[in-house]
Amino acid sequence: GHLNIDNRYNNADGDINFRTRTTGTIVNAVKIQGDGNVGIGTTTAGKALEIGDNSNTVGNGTIRLRGYSASGGYHDIVSSGDNLVFYRNTTVGLFMRYNGNVGIGGEPTSHKLLVVGDAKINDNLTLAATKKLYLDGGGDTYIQEAAANQMAFVTAGGERVRIIADGKVGIGTTI
């Protein structure tokens, strides 16, 4: 046999609610709207599946994924304000800010990409012409393409070494 649950009105305007009661208060846990959208933790699903977190007063929506783990670990996907954060237990794995900035292992602020910890690149890393590869947080130590086919090494804001296209190297002088 089959179990069918139909909306009360048998039309697109009727909803199906799965509710629980906590200390006398009715809580809508899951809502299947007449249009077919499903809301968990929200009463107005705007997409086929929308998950909210009505128990969280700061407006975060959380999905927790838990598989077998000897350590009891879990993964959370959190909609935190306008940001999206992926956690392993309480440690940030991936943080995507509303403005497109991405953090791996931490929250990015003013940079497009933040990596906390070691990073490995298995292919080419290409910088646009005349862009700089900074080697410190002060912004005055970097490597850059100083001119076409010329590479400059800068420390303390001053150019210290330049290599030009024919292989000549200038140290502390122009070539």
Side-chain angles (χ1 to χ4, degrees):
H2 298 282
L3 171 64
N4 295 316
I5 299 174
D6 293 319
N7 64 34
R8 190 169 110 180
Y9 302 104
N10 199 23
N11 65 40
D13 296 329
D15 299 332
I16 299 171
N17 293 296
F18 294 85
R19 302 190 289 186
T20 60
R21 186 177 294 268
T22 307
T23 60
T25 304
I26 294 175
V27 176
N28 283 326
V30 177
K31 182 176 195 170
I32 303 172
Q33 296 176 177
D35 62 4
N37 290 351
V38 177
I40 301 173
T42 182
T43 56
T44 55
K47 296 290 180 182
L49 176 62
E50 183 171 329
I51 300 174
D53 189 351
N54 289 334
S55 66
N56 191 329
T57 59
V58 295
N60 294 341
T62 301
I63 300 171
R64 177 160 288 174
L65 304 172
R66 186 186 306 260
Y68 171 76
S69 170
S71 66
Y74 57 87
H75 297 87
D76 284 344
I77 303 169
V78 179
S79 175
S80 176
D82 291 331
N83 306 310
L84 184 61
V85 188
F86 293 79
Y87 290 91
R88 164 67 165 85
N89 295 336
T90 58
T91 303
V92 172
L94 181 67
F95 194 111
M96 296 186 294
R97 290 184 66 81
Y98 66 93
N99 61 2
N101 293 356
V102 174
I104 300 172
E107 180 179 348
T109 53
S110 59
H111 295 87
K112 285 293 180 191
L113 176 63
L114 168 72
V115 178
V116 176
D118 295 337
K120 180 179 180 180
I121 299 171
N122 286 339
D123 211 336
N124 297 324
L125 174 63
T126 303
L127 300 177
T130 71
K131 297 300 178 189
K132 301 171 184 173
L133 177 61
Y134 287 92
L135 303 175
D136 69 352
D140 61 355
T141 301
Y142 54 88
I143 301 168
Q144 84 171 110
E145 181 183 34
N149 299 312
Q150 295 186 21
M151 187 166 57
F153 295 80
V154 177
T155 61
E159 184 177 314
R160 308 298 180 211
V161 176
R162 182 178 288 220
I163 303 171
I164 62 174
D166 64 4
K168 291 180 183 165
V169 178
I171 302 175
T173 184
T174 58
I175 47 175

